[in-house]
Amino acid sequence: VNDTAELGATALTPDWLEVQYRTHATALLRLAVLLTHDRATAEDVVHDAFVSLHRRGQTPRPGAELAYLRRSVVNGVVGRGRRTATAARARLVPVPDTPSPEVDSLRHSDHRALAGAVRALPDRQRACVVLHYWGEMTDAGIAEALSISPGAVKSHLHRARATLAGRLENLR
Amino acid sequence: MTYDLDQELRTAFDAEVAGITASDELWERIRATAETVPEGRSPRRPGRGSVGRRAGWYLAAAAAGIVVAAAVAITATRHEPGVTTNPGPPPTTATTSTPPTTAAPGPDAGPASEESPPGTTEPPPGGGDSPAPTAALAVLRDGRMVRLDLAAQRVGAEYGRLYSPDDAPQPEERTANAIGDIDVSADGSALMYSTVGEPAMGTAYRTTLAGFARVGDQPVWTNTSHLAISPDGRFVVHAYDDLLVSAPDGRELSRLDLPTGSDYPDALWWSPDGTRIAYRTTSYHTNGSVAGRTIRVARWDGTALAADPDAPPRAGAAIRWAPDGGLVVLPGDPLLSRTSSDGRWTLVVAADGRLHRVGPDGEDTPLFAATRFQYAEPIDIRAGS
């Protein structure tokens, strides 16, 4: 997949959008779940990504569809907590004080320690870790998805690894 | 045994998403939403990118409705010798405090009237911060206060959306256009404030004051949700994703350290001598609850001096510089606080609407009930406790 996700000149149609959904939505949803640790929020993010693409009215360049949608998903997650908090401060959205059921269930899984440590990472560090280890993306691809420099990706990954190693060491 | 973190991460991630598939129901949601939105509309993804387009809105809203109300005349209620060593400007503007019956709603009231979304007077539960104020106080060097009220003319009720996936009006998503920060220049001639109407975004304005009358608003920075003017008026520290020190005319002078990509600066305090800045950064869980807060100190040129990465989640809503140069981080979550130019006290409007003065050794003196900012009596906040 070419990570340069520029829009093409082809008009977008509903059928084309559905094809993209059938092709990429599961991968995008899994990515969103890993980034948000919440299935409902993840579905909202994927929903917004496809609706945003529809609103563009043009398809991405052929081959860049997944990269485009993935970047939209990542951008929809990074900073989402802050936006949610701000919305709540404007008295529009209640902020839950307890973890979602999905998060809670992870506590009882075999991977709860690691999942908890990843969940506690800052947004961009978490995104870098997920895209690197699960998405198997290059630093350049992650940088493009997050709109940051490759150097910043390396820095985020380095800090995230150090944090995760430290937290897991404490648990052992 | 060697612990392979990389392999553990891959295994954990694969296990976490195993069995997750995109459903037909989600596609139907997407299709239904898409059908209501014409293709080719300019997207408005929430986030920092749209602030420039919104600046005009902010300016229009500000020009239309913002009132810098001459708030409280600080005429000394205790006429003790020595209290009036700094008399401030002539009392012509100072003696006409806003009548309680006409005072605009304060932070607890939100946008006025029937356009307020239902339930908006309720603060967010547990993990969130208090509602952002739509009215705020700035303290002049001589102890007078200036009040900025965005809700007075229902600007917030008419303006803005949150997270709207399209351009159609969605009244239930209207936001109270709230104030991020407010500060007054050292000579009292200009007031700067930031708005946080859209999610976490804002625009900083500079308002020229003639006495207490607002002359005009001028946008200075976009992507600015918080700001503070240095005591000597030479610098302004302002923040959104970045934390910058600029000259009041907008020239960037330095950047302050934000170690991680998800720590957002949201409270700024200059030291009384204007050389250092204490600032709080907050990281959030995806659901909007606070994940952690850090208190940092840096020189104005960006040199990091200290950091406390383990600040309690609700700490730092008010910080005071102690006379010995140390920091006092107050717990709690007041709606707003301002420290006097000499650092001797902090004026805190608590979540219950009461006004407190907190002194350098931590004593907390309730001044008067300022619920809904209906001031009962003017009071000299320069007086000793």
Side-chain angles (χ1 to χ4, degrees):
Chain A
V1 173
N2 186 341
D3 276 322
T4 304
E6 301 296 334
L7 288 175
T10 306
L12 184 150
T13 65
D15 288 345
W16 179 90
L17 194 67
E18 181 169 5
V19 169
Q20 299 308 309
Y21 180 86
R22 301 297 175 196
T23 306
H24 301 304
T26 291
L28 294 169
L29 182 62
R30 291 178 175 183
L31 171 63
V33 166
L34 289 174
L35 293 175
T36 65
H37 296 275
D38 184 285
R39 176 66 179 267
T41 302
E43 290 195 352
D44 286 347
V45 169
V46 172
H47 168 277
D48 291 351
F50 277 94
V51 170
S52 176
L53 178 56
H54 165 81
R55 211 178 312 124
R56 291 270 186 187
Q58 292 178 321
T59 66
R61 287 189 303 100
E65 298 90 349
L66 177 59
Y68 182 93
L69 288 162
R70 186 167 52 209
R71 185 162 63 175
S72 185
V73 166
V74 171
N75 286 334
V77 172
V78 172
R80 189 179 185 92
R82 187 194 197 189
R83 294 194 295 272
T84 302
T86 302
R89 295 197 72 209
R91 290 165 259 180
L92 297 170
V93 180
V95 174
D97 195 27
T98 55
S100 65
E102 287 79 2
V103 171
D104 198 45
S105 68
L106 282 173
R107 291 176 175 167
H108 304 290
S109 76
D110 292 341
H111 303 101
R112 63 185 183 275
L114 193 53
V118 171
R119 189 175 65 246
L121 292 172
D123 284 357
R124 290 191 178 89
Q125 286 187 28
R126 187 170 66 250
C128 287
V129 167
V130 170
L131 292 172
H132 178 82
Y133 289 107
W134 182 78
E136 298 184 343
M137 292 173 61
T138 64
D139 288 353
I142 297 170
E144 174 134 3
L146 284 167
S147 302
I148 58 179
S149 69
V153 172
K154 293 180 188 298
S155 175
H156 283 314
L157 283 172
H158 176 77
R159 286 176 172 149
R161 285 192 193 100
T163 301
L164 292 172
R167 288 179 181 165
L168 293 175
E169 185 66 27
N170 290 337
L171 294 173
R172 286 164 186 270
Chain B
M1 184 182 73
T2 301
Y3 180 70
D4 187 343
L5 176 63
D6 294 4
Q7 186 56 46
E8 289 285 340
L9 280 168
R10 291 188 175 94
T11 302
F13 287 152
D14 285 342
E16 190 172 343
V17 298
I20 290 178
T21 57
S23 63
D24 289 342
E25 288 75 15
L26 178 56
W27 167 247
E28 287 304 315
R29 263 184 66 200
I30 294 169
R31 190 180 59 78
T33 305
E35 284 179 352
T36 66
V37 182
E39 293 175 18
R41 297 286 291 272
S42 177
R44 286 195 60 251
R45 189 183 67 76
R48 65 194 77 168
S50 62
V51 68
R53 293 191 298 275
R54 307 304 290 177
W57 264 102
Y58 282 108
L59 184 59
I66 291 172
V67 175
V68 178
V72 179
I74 309 302
T75 53
T77 55
R78 288 188 288 173
H79 299 286
E80 301 169 359
V83 171
T84 57
T85 53
N86 189 351
T92 51
T93 57
T95 53
T96 54
S97 54
T98 307
T101 54
T102 59
D108 290 338
S113 80
E114 67 279 6
E115 296 203 35
S116 298
T120 54
T121 56
E122 293 298 321
D129 287 334
S130 297
T134 57
L137 300 174
V139 184
L140 302 183
R141 290 174 71 86
D142 60 16
R144 293 177 303 152
M145 288 185 288
V146 174
R147 179 179 175 222
L148 175 70
D149 192 333
L150 298 182
Q153 297 188 10
R154 296 163 57 188
V155 174
E158 302 291 342
Y159 157 78
R161 289 188 305 276
L162 292 173
Y163 305 167
S164 176
D166 58 49
D167 290 329
Q170 297 195 21
E172 73 277 6
E173 290 188 326
R174 286 177 179 169
T175 174
N177 189 19
I179 296 172
D181 268 322
I182 179 172
D183 209 349
V184 179
S185 64
D187 62 2
S189 66
L191 176 147
M192 299 191 76
Y193 65 95
S194 56
T195 57
V196 290
E198 283 199 328
M201 295 192 303
T203 299
Y205 292 97
R206 180 169 53 222
T207 295
T208 304
L209 298 173
F212 271 144
R214 181 176 63 86
V215 176
D217 293 307
Q218 175 190 358
V220 183
W221 300 288
T222 56
N223 282 351
T224 297
S225 54
H226 297 280
L227 60 84
I229 304 174
S230 65
D232 59 11
R234 290 192 301 153
F235 309 121
V236 182
V237 58
H238 55 104
Y240 178 60
D241 280 342
D242 298 315
L243 186 55
L244 307 172
V245 174
S246 298
D249 64 7
R251 285 179 295 118
E252 179 182 327
L253 301 175
S254 64
R255 286 174 178 261
L256 276 66
D257 185 35
L258 293 173
T260 74
S262 296
D263 270 14
Y264 299 105
D266 57 7
L268 314 164
W269 300 271
W270 283 96
S271 63
D273 63 4
T275 63
R276 292 165 295 159
I277 302 158
Y279 55 104
R280 183 185 71 181
T281 59
T282 301
S283 59
Y284 295 96
H285 294 299
T286 305
N287 66 9
S289 58
V290 172
R293 279 184 166 140
T294 300
I295 305 295
R296 294 187 172 87
V297 181
R299 285 176 46 83
W300 75 267
D301 64 3
T303 308
L305 296 176
D308 175 9
D310 299 317
R314 300 186 81 84
I319 278 186
R320 287 176 300 105
W321 287 89
D324 64 0
L327 275 178
V328 179
V329 180
L330 301 180
D333 196 14
L335 291 179
L336 62 91
S337 67
R338 284 291 172 270
T339 302
S340 65
S341 298
D342 60 7
R344 286 182 53 237
W345 43 258
T346 295
L347 189 69
V348 177
V349 178
D352 63 0
R354 291 182 177 276
L355 190 64
H356 297 251
R357 183 186 62 226
V358 182
D361 55 358
E363 81 279 10
D364 186 342
T365 307
L367 295 180
F368 54 83
T371 302
R372 300 174 67 87
F373 287 96
Q374 295 179 0
Y375 300 108
E377 294 290 338
I379 192 168
D380 190 347
I381 55 177
R382 293 168 295 175
S385 56

